[in-house]
Amino acid sequence: IVDANGRYLVPGFIDSHMHIESSMVDPITFTKGVLPHGVTTICPDNHEITNVFGLQAVELFHKVSEGLPIKFLLAMPVCVPSIPGFEDAGATINPEDVTKAYIEGWAQLQGEQMNFPGLLLSDNFVHSINAASLDANVCVTGHYASLEHNKGLNAFAASGIYGCHESTTKEGTIRRAELGIYPQMRYGTAWLDLPNCVKAYTENPGIDTRMLVMVTDDVTPMSVLKDGQLLHVVRTAIKCGVPPVTAIQFVTINPAQMLEKSRWIGSISPSRAADILIVSDITEMIIDEVYC
């Protein structure tokens, strides 16, 4: 029995798109860094190490995650090499590899499909990889790095992808949500898109907020130690004018629903995982205790 003594209970934070390798530490050390700051679920896309070691890297990440005091949902890298024809990093991922990773339980969702031109131009290999994820009935995420929000983005959505972290504008964020794609608004070390993207809500306070998600993408060790990784994203959203409870929604129940894991994580309710933060100041998001 824990006496919260007038403080707030908040669901554990979920980072639905991030790269552990960008932090230049291993998954165990990364967990030690982010868990005290309220992150209880991570979805690492380890395409950097997979570019070198191939499917073995996915298996290794899965093995090292076993027993960690955090929910570790590995996002299967599906664009290896990331730029076909321009890289020779040592590995290639094919549709059979993707299928095997899901069957073996090594991966729980599709990582970012960066070859969005291949999707739009009907490249058979790219679509066969996408099909492997669709057949496995997992959350399918992508990477639509274009400001074209009509024909191209429609085709991107039609391919079955329903999560994208590449929006950099208010307009792109709204358009993704309109097409059923969860806009994963970024605020990490390198990409600082959140202040622009979150205007989709702050300038339209009546908008349906269920599709809006916040992520870090890439963070360095200093960002984790100094700012608290995803905690910094939540605090930034609040400073941008998002009410604290809504900002919490963007990193809890919304990503849980995107991942189709909301019957397990994302809320404090019976039968869900007891991922609970005790917060003494909800506006400054001061986390006193973390339960995972």
Side-chain angles (χ1 to χ4, degrees), residues 119-173:
L119 283 175
L120 305 188
L121 298 173
S122 300
D123 181 279
N124 287 333
F125 183 78
V126 176
H127 275 279
S128 62
I129 283 184
N130 215 48
S133 296
L134 293 171
D135 289 344
N137 197 31
V138 299
C139 171
V140 181
T141 68
H143 170 122
Y144 184 79
S146 171
L147 295 178
E148 196 284 311
H149 298 145
N150 294 307
K151 185 177 179 180
L153 191 55
N154 267 283
F156 185 73
S159 73
I161 290 175
Y162 54 97
C164 176
H165 60 280
E166 285 293 331
S167 179
T168 58
T169 65
K170 173 187 71 175
E171 295 76 17
T173 301

Short mmCIF file of all heavy atoms in Angstrom, two decimals, residues 119-173:
data_model
loop_
_atom_site.label_atom_id
_atom_site.label_comp_id
_atom_site.label_asym_id
_atom_site.label_seq_id
_atom_site.Cartn_x
_atom_site.Cartn_y
_atom_site.Cartn_z
N LEU A 119 7.10 2.57 -51.87
CA LEU A 119 5.68 2.29 -51.65
C LEU A 119 4.82 3.00 -52.68
O LEU A 119 3.92 2.40 -53.28
CB LEU A 119 5.26 2.74 -50.24
CG LEU A 119 5.65 1.87 -49.06
CD1 LEU A 119 5.24 2.56 -47.76
CD2 LEU A 119 4.98 0.50 -49.15
N LEU A 120 5.11 4.28 -52.91
CA LEU A 120 4.29 5.06 -53.83
C LEU A 120 4.44 4.60 -55.27
O LEU A 120 3.48 4.66 -56.05
CB LEU A 120 4.65 6.55 -53.73
CG LEU A 120 4.59 7.21 -52.34
CD1 LEU A 120 4.78 8.70 -52.46
CD2 LEU A 120 3.29 6.89 -51.64
N LEU A 121 5.63 4.11 -55.62
CA LEU A 121 5.89 3.70 -57.01
C LEU A 121 5.69 2.20 -57.22
O LEU A 121 6.09 1.64 -58.23
CB LEU A 121 7.32 4.09 -57.41
CG LEU A 121 7.60 5.60 -57.39
CD1 LEU A 121 9.08 5.89 -57.63
CD2 LEU A 121 6.75 6.33 -58.42
N SER A 122 5.07 1.55 -56.22
CA SER A 122 4.70 0.14 -56.32
C SER A 122 5.88 -0.80 -56.52
O SER A 122 5.82 -1.74 -57.32
CB SER A 122 3.67 -0.06 -57.46
OG SER A 122 2.51 0.70 -57.21
N ASP A 123 6.96 -0.56 -55.77
CA ASP A 123 8.09 -1.46 -55.79
C ASP A 123 7.68 -2.79 -55.14
O ASP A 123 7.25 -2.82 -53.99
CB ASP A 123 9.26 -0.84 -55.03
CG ASP A 123 10.49 -1.72 -55.03
OD1 ASP A 123 10.53 -2.66 -54.21
OD2 ASP A 123 11.41 -1.47 -55.84
N ASN A 124 7.81 -3.87 -55.87
CA ASN A 124 7.32 -5.17 -55.38
C ASN A 124 8.01 -5.62 -54.10
O ASN A 124 7.38 -6.18 -53.21
CB ASN A 124 7.49 -6.23 -56.47
CG ASN A 124 6.50 -6.07 -57.60
OD1 ASN A 124 5.41 -5.55 -57.39
ND2 ASN A 124 6.88 -6.52 -58.79
N PHE A 125 9.32 -5.38 -54.02
CA PHE A 125 10.06 -5.82 -52.83
C PHE A 125 9.59 -5.05 -51.59
O PHE A 125 9.36 -5.64 -50.53
CB PHE A 125 11.56 -5.61 -53.04
CG PHE A 125 12.41 -6.09 -51.89
CD1 PHE A 125 12.67 -7.45 -51.72
CD2 PHE A 125 12.94 -5.19 -50.98
CE1 PHE A 125 13.45 -7.90 -50.66
CE2 PHE A 125 13.72 -5.63 -49.91
CZ PHE A 125 13.97 -7.00 -49.76
N VAL A 126 9.43 -3.74 -51.72
CA VAL A 126 8.98 -2.93 -50.59
C VAL A 126 7.58 -3.34 -50.15
O VAL A 126 7.30 -3.49 -48.96
CB VAL A 126 9.02 -1.42 -50.96
CG1 VAL A 126 8.45 -0.58 -49.82
CG2 VAL A 126 10.44 -0.99 -51.28
N HIS A 127 6.72 -3.57 -51.12
CA HIS A 127 5.35 -3.96 -50.77
C HIS A 127 5.28 -5.37 -50.19
O HIS A 127 4.43 -5.65 -49.34
CB HIS A 127 4.43 -3.85 -52.00
CG HIS A 127 3.89 -2.47 -52.18
ND1 HIS A 127 2.80 -1.99 -51.48
CD2 HIS A 127 4.29 -1.44 -52.97
CE1 HIS A 127 2.55 -0.75 -51.84
NE2 HIS A 127 3.45 -0.39 -52.74
N SER A 128 6.19 -6.24 -50.60
CA SER A 128 6.18 -7.59 -50.04
C SER A 128 6.62 -7.58 -48.57
O SER A 128 6.12 -8.36 -47.75
CB SER A 128 7.09 -8.51 -50.86
OG SER A 128 8.44 -8.07 -50.83
N ILE A 129 7.53 -6.67 -48.23
CA ILE A 129 7.93 -6.51 -46.83
C ILE A 129 6.76 -5.95 -46.03
O ILE A 129 6.45 -6.40 -44.92
CB ILE A 129 9.17 -5.61 -46.72
CG1 ILE A 129 10.43 -6.41 -47.10
CG2 ILE A 129 9.32 -5.03 -45.33
CD1 ILE A 129 11.72 -5.67 -46.94
N ASN A 130 6.10 -4.95 -46.58
CA ASN A 130 4.94 -4.36 -45.91
C ASN A 130 3.86 -5.42 -45.71
O ASN A 130 3.20 -5.47 -44.65
CB ASN A 130 4.40 -3.20 -46.75
CG ASN A 130 3.84 -2.08 -45.92
OD1 ASN A 130 4.48 -1.63 -44.98
ND2 ASN A 130 2.65 -1.61 -46.24
N ALA A 131 3.69 -6.27 -46.72
CA ALA A 131 2.67 -7.32 -46.64
C ALA A 131 2.97 -8.30 -45.52
O ALA A 131 2.05 -8.82 -44.88
CB ALA A 131 2.58 -8.05 -47.98
N ALA A 132 4.26 -8.56 -45.28
CA ALA A 132 4.63 -9.48 -44.20
C ALA A 132 4.16 -8.94 -42.85
O ALA A 132 3.70 -9.70 -41.99
CB ALA A 132 6.14 -9.69 -44.19
N SER A 133 4.25 -7.63 -42.67
CA SER A 133 3.78 -7.03 -41.42
C SER A 133 2.26 -7.01 -41.35
O SER A 133 1.66 -7.28 -40.30
CB SER A 133 4.32 -5.60 -41.29
OG SER A 133 5.73 -5.60 -41.18
N LEU A 134 1.62 -6.72 -42.46
CA LEU A 134 0.16 -6.72 -42.49
C LEU A 134 -0.38 -8.12 -42.23
O LEU A 134 -1.36 -8.29 -41.48
CB LEU A 134 -0.35 -6.19 -43.83
CG LEU A 134 -0.07 -4.71 -44.13
CD1 LEU A 134 -0.43 -4.37 -45.57
CD2 LEU A 134 -0.85 -3.81 -43.17
N ASP A 135 0.26 -9.12 -42.80
CA ASP A 135 -0.18 -10.51 -42.58
C ASP A 135 0.00 -10.92 -41.12
O ASP A 135 -0.76 -11.75 -40.61
CB ASP A 135 0.61 -11.46 -43.49
CG ASP A 135 0.22 -11.33 -44.95
OD1 ASP A 135 -0.85 -10.75 -45.24
OD2 ASP A 135 0.99 -11.78 -45.82
N ALA A 136 1.00 -10.35 -40.45
CA ALA A 136 1.25 -10.67 -39.05
C ALA A 136 0.31 -9.90 -38.12
O ALA A 136 0.32 -10.13 -36.91
CB ALA A 136 2.70 -10.37 -38.69
N ASN A 137 -0.46 -8.98 -38.69
CA ASN A 137 -1.46 -8.21 -37.93
C ASN A 137 -0.81 -7.41 -36.80
O ASN A 137 -1.29 -7.39 -35.66
CB ASN A 137 -2.54 -9.14 -37.36
CG ASN A 137 -3.78 -8.39 -36.93
OD1 ASN A 137 -4.12 -7.34 -37.50
ND2 ASN A 137 -4.48 -8.89 -35.92
N VAL A 138 0.29 -6.73 -37.12
CA VAL A 138 0.96 -5.88 -36.14
C VAL A 138 0.79 -4.41 -36.55
O VAL A 138 0.37 -4.11 -37.67
CB VAL A 138 2.47 -6.22 -36.05
CG1 VAL A 138 2.68 -7.65 -35.59
CG2 VAL A 138 3.18 -5.95 -37.37
N CYS A 139 1.12 -3.52 -35.64
CA CYS A 139 1.11 -2.10 -35.94
C CYS A 139 2.17 -1.82 -37.01
O CYS A 139 3.32 -2.24 -36.88
CB CYS A 139 1.41 -1.30 -34.67
SG CYS A 139 1.69 0.46 -34.94
N VAL A 140 1.78 -1.11 -38.07
CA VAL A 140 2.67 -0.85 -39.20
C VAL A 140 3.00 0.64 -39.25
O VAL A 140 2.12 1.47 -39.46
CB VAL A 140 2.02 -1.30 -40.52
CG1 VAL A 140 2.97 -1.05 -41.69
CG2 VAL A 140 1.62 -2.76 -40.46
N THR A 141 4.27 0.97 -39.01
CA THR A 141 4.67 2.38 -39.03
C THR A 141 5.55 2.68 -40.24
O THR A 141 6.14 1.77 -40.84
CB THR A 141 5.42 2.78 -37.75
OG1 THR A 141 6.69 2.12 -37.70
CG2 THR A 141 4.61 2.42 -36.51
N GLY A 142 5.61 3.94 -40.59
CA GLY A 142 6.35 4.34 -41.78
C GLY A 142 7.05 5.67 -41.60
O GLY A 142 7.14 6.21 -40.50
N HIS A 143 7.50 6.20 -42.72
CA HIS A 143 8.40 7.37 -42.72
C HIS A 143 8.09 8.12 -44.01
O HIS A 143 8.65 7.81 -45.05
CB HIS A 143 9.84 6.84 -42.65
CG HIS A 143 10.92 7.85 -42.88
ND1 HIS A 143 11.90 8.10 -41.94
CD2 HIS A 143 11.19 8.67 -43.93
CE1 HIS A 143 12.74 9.00 -42.42
NE2 HIS A 143 12.33 9.36 -43.63
N TYR A 144 7.15 9.05 -43.94
CA TYR A 144 6.76 9.81 -45.13
C TYR A 144 7.37 11.20 -45.04
O TYR A 144 6.79 12.12 -44.48
CB TYR A 144 5.23 9.89 -45.23
CG TYR A 144 4.73 10.58 -46.49
CD1 TYR A 144 4.70 9.91 -47.71
CD2 TYR A 144 4.29 11.90 -46.45
CE1 TYR A 144 4.24 10.54 -48.86
CE2 TYR A 144 3.83 12.54 -47.59
CZ TYR A 144 3.82 11.86 -48.79
OH TYR A 144 3.37 12.49 -49.95
N ALA A 145 8.58 11.33 -45.57
CA ALA A 145 9.34 12.59 -45.49
C ALA A 145 9.07 13.45 -46.71
O ALA A 145 9.96 13.72 -47.51
CB ALA A 145 10.83 12.29 -45.34
N SER A 146 7.84 13.90 -46.84
CA SER A 146 7.46 14.74 -47.97
C SER A 146 6.42 15.74 -47.49
O SER A 146 5.61 15.43 -46.61
CB SER A 146 6.88 13.89 -49.12
OG SER A 146 6.33 14.72 -50.12
N LEU A 147 6.43 16.93 -48.07
CA LEU A 147 5.43 17.93 -47.73
C LEU A 147 4.19 17.82 -48.60
O LEU A 147 3.26 18.62 -48.48
CB LEU A 147 6.04 19.34 -47.85
CG LEU A 147 7.17 19.66 -46.86
CD1 LEU A 147 7.73 21.06 -47.13
CD2 LEU A 147 6.68 19.57 -45.42
N GLU A 148 4.15 16.82 -49.49
CA GLU A 148 2.99 16.60 -50.36
C GLU A 148 1.96 15.81 -49.57
O GLU A 148 2.22 14.68 -49.17
CB GLU A 148 3.42 15.85 -51.63
CG GLU A 148 2.41 15.91 -52.76
CD GLU A 148 1.23 14.99 -52.51
OE1 GLU A 148 1.44 13.81 -52.18
OE2 GLU A 148 0.09 15.45 -52.63
N HIS A 149 0.79 16.40 -49.35
CA HIS A 149 -0.18 15.81 -48.43
C HIS A 149 -1.45 15.31 -49.12
O HIS A 149 -2.43 15.02 -48.44
CB HIS A 149 -0.56 16.84 -47.36
CG HIS A 149 0.59 17.26 -46.51
ND1 HIS A 149 0.74 18.54 -46.01
CD2 HIS A 149 1.67 16.56 -46.09
CE1 HIS A 149 1.86 18.61 -45.32
NE2 HIS A 149 2.45 17.43 -45.34
N ASN A 150 -1.44 15.22 -50.42
CA ASN A 150 -2.65 14.77 -51.11
C ASN A 150 -2.45 13.38 -51.72
O ASN A 150 -2.56 12.38 -51.05
CB ASN A 150 -3.07 15.81 -52.15
CG ASN A 150 -3.52 17.10 -51.48
OD1 ASN A 150 -4.38 17.10 -50.61
ND2 ASN A 150 -2.92 18.21 -51.87
N LYS A 151 -2.10 13.34 -53.00
CA LYS A 151 -1.98 12.05 -53.68
C LYS A 151 -0.96 11.13 -53.02
O LYS A 151 -1.23 9.96 -52.75
CB LYS A 151 -1.61 12.27 -55.15
CG LYS A 151 -1.58 11.01 -55.98
CD LYS A 151 -1.26 11.33 -57.44
CE LYS A 151 -1.21 10.06 -58.28
NZ LYS A 151 -0.90 10.36 -59.70
N GLY A 152 0.22 11.66 -52.73
CA GLY A 152 1.28 10.83 -52.15
C GLY A 152 0.93 10.30 -50.77
O GLY A 152 1.09 9.11 -50.49
N LEU A 153 0.43 11.18 -49.91
CA LEU A 153 0.10 10.76 -48.55
C LEU A 153 -1.09 9.81 -48.54
O LEU A 153 -1.17 8.90 -47.72
CB LEU A 153 -0.16 11.97 -47.66
CG LEU A 153 -0.25 11.71 -46.16
CD1 LEU A 153 1.00 11.00 -45.65
CD2 LEU A 153 -0.47 13.01 -45.39
N ASN A 154 -2.02 10.01 -49.47
CA ASN A 154 -3.14 9.07 -49.60
C ASN A 154 -2.64 7.68 -49.95
O ASN A 154 -3.09 6.68 -49.39
CB ASN A 154 -4.11 9.56 -50.67
CG ASN A 154 -5.23 10.40 -50.11
OD1 ASN A 154 -6.17 9.88 -49.53
ND2 ASN A 154 -5.12 11.70 -50.28
N ALA A 155 -1.70 7.61 -50.89
CA ALA A 155 -1.15 6.31 -51.29
C ALA A 155 -0.39 5.67 -50.13
O ALA A 155 -0.46 4.46 -49.92
CB ALA A 155 -0.23 6.48 -52.50
N PHE A 156 0.33 6.50 -49.37
CA PHE A 156 1.06 6.02 -48.20
C PHE A 156 0.09 5.39 -47.20
O PHE A 156 0.33 4.30 -46.68
CB PHE A 156 1.80 7.21 -47.59
CG PHE A 156 2.71 6.88 -46.44
CD1 PHE A 156 3.91 6.23 -46.64
CD2 PHE A 156 2.37 7.26 -45.15
CE1 PHE A 156 4.76 5.94 -45.58
CE2 PHE A 156 3.21 6.99 -44.08
CZ PHE A 156 4.40 6.33 -44.30
N ALA A 157 -1.01 6.07 -46.94
CA ALA A 157 -2.02 5.54 -46.02
C ALA A 157 -2.67 4.28 -46.57
O ALA A 157 -2.94 3.32 -45.84
CB ALA A 157 -3.08 6.60 -45.74
N ALA A 158 -2.89 4.27 -47.88
CA ALA A 158 -3.54 3.11 -48.50
C ALA A 158 -2.69 1.85 -48.44
O ALA A 158 -3.20 0.74 -48.57
CB ALA A 158 -3.89 3.43 -49.96
N SER A 159 -1.38 2.02 -48.23
CA SER A 159 -0.51 0.85 -48.14
C SER A 159 -0.66 0.12 -46.81
O SER A 159 -0.09 -0.94 -46.61
CB SER A 159 0.96 1.27 -48.32
OG SER A 159 1.43 1.96 -47.18
N GLY A 160 -1.43 0.71 -45.89
CA GLY A 160 -1.68 0.05 -44.61
C GLY A 160 -0.88 0.60 -43.46
O GLY A 160 -0.99 0.12 -42.34
N ILE A 161 -0.08 1.63 -43.70
CA ILE A 161 0.72 2.23 -42.63
C ILE A 161 -0.13 3.21 -41.83
O ILE A 161 -0.83 4.04 -42.41
CB ILE A 161 1.96 2.94 -43.22
CG1 ILE A 161 2.94 1.88 -43.76
CG2 ILE A 161 2.64 3.83 -42.18
CD1 ILE A 161 4.14 2.45 -44.47
N TYR A 162 -0.07 3.10 -40.50
CA TYR A 162 -0.91 4.01 -39.71
C TYR A 162 -0.15 4.65 -38.55
O TYR A 162 -0.74 5.00 -37.52
CB TYR A 162 -2.18 3.32 -39.22
CG TYR A 162 -2.05 2.04 -38.46
CD1 TYR A 162 -2.07 2.02 -37.07
CD2 TYR A 162 -1.94 0.83 -39.14
CE1 TYR A 162 -1.97 0.84 -36.37
CE2 TYR A 162 -1.84 -0.37 -38.45
CZ TYR A 162 -1.87 -0.36 -37.06
OH TYR A 162 -1.77 -1.54 -36.37
N GLY A 163 1.14 4.85 -38.73
CA GLY A 163 1.93 5.63 -37.80
C GLY A 163 3.09 6.26 -38.54
O GLY A 163 3.77 5.57 -39.31
N CYS A 164 3.31 7.57 -38.35
CA CYS A 164 4.39 8.25 -39.08
C CYS A 164 4.93 9.39 -38.22
O CYS A 164 4.16 10.23 -37.73
CB CYS A 164 3.89 8.79 -40.42
SG CYS A 164 5.14 9.74 -41.34
N HIS A 165 6.26 9.45 -38.05
CA HIS A 165 6.89 10.45 -37.21
C HIS A 165 7.54 11.57 -38.01
O HIS A 165 8.26 12.40 -37.45
CB HIS A 165 7.98 9.78 -36.34
CG HIS A 165 9.04 9.12 -37.15
ND1 HIS A 165 8.88 7.89 -37.73
CD2 HIS A 165 10.28 9.55 -37.52
CE1 HIS A 165 9.96 7.57 -38.39
NE2 HIS A 165 10.83 8.56 -38.30
N GLU A 166 7.31 11.62 -39.33
CA GLU A 166 8.03 12.57 -40.17
C GLU A 166 7.29 13.88 -40.41
O GLU A 166 7.74 14.71 -41.20
CB GLU A 166 8.33 11.93 -41.53
CG GLU A 166 9.46 10.91 -41.50
CD GLU A 166 10.81 11.55 -41.20
OE1 GLU A 166 11.02 12.73 -41.55
OE2 GLU A 166 11.66 10.87 -40.62
N SER A 167 6.18 14.10 -39.75
CA SER A 167 5.48 15.38 -39.90
C SER A 167 6.30 16.49 -39.25
O SER A 167 6.79 16.34 -38.13
CB SER A 167 4.09 15.31 -39.28
OG SER A 167 3.43 16.55 -39.41
N THR A 168 6.43 17.61 -39.95
CA THR A 168 7.18 18.75 -39.42
C THR A 168 6.33 20.01 -39.33
O THR A 168 6.82 21.05 -38.89
CB THR A 168 8.41 19.05 -40.31
OG1 THR A 168 7.96 19.33 -41.65
CG2 THR A 168 9.37 17.86 -40.34
N THR A 169 5.07 19.92 -39.75
CA THR A 169 4.20 21.10 -39.78
C THR A 169 2.84 20.79 -39.17
O THR A 169 2.45 19.63 -39.03
CB THR A 169 3.98 21.58 -41.22
OG1 THR A 169 3.26 20.56 -41.94
CG2 THR A 169 5.30 21.87 -41.93
N LYS A 170 2.12 21.86 -38.83
CA LYS A 170 0.74 21.72 -38.35
C LYS A 170 -0.12 21.07 -39.42
O LYS A 170 -0.91 20.16 -39.12
CB LYS A 170 0.19 23.11 -38.00
CG LYS A 170 -1.29 23.13 -37.65
CD LYS A 170 -1.81 24.55 -37.47
CE LYS A 170 -1.89 25.29 -38.78
NZ LYS A 170 -2.51 26.64 -38.63
N GLU A 171 0.04 21.51 -40.66
CA GLU A 171 -0.78 21.00 -41.75
C GLU A 171 -0.55 19.51 -41.98
O GLU A 171 -1.49 18.73 -42.18
CB GLU A 171 -0.51 21.78 -43.04
CG GLU A 171 -0.91 23.23 -42.99
CD GLU A 171 0.04 24.12 -42.19
OE1 GLU A 171 1.19 23.67 -41.94
OE2 GLU A 171 -0.35 25.25 -41.82
N GLY A 172 0.72 19.10 -41.94
CA GLY A 172 1.04 17.69 -42.15
C GLY A 172 0.52 16.82 -41.03
O GLY A 172 0.11 15.68 -41.25
N THR A 173 0.53 17.35 -39.82
CA THR A 173 0.01 16.61 -38.66
C THR A 173 -1.49 16.39 -38.79
O THR A 173 -1.98 15.27 -38.61
CB THR A 173 0.33 17.39 -37.37
OG1 THR A 173 1.74 17.56 -37.27
CG2 THR A 173 -0.19 16.65 -36.15
#
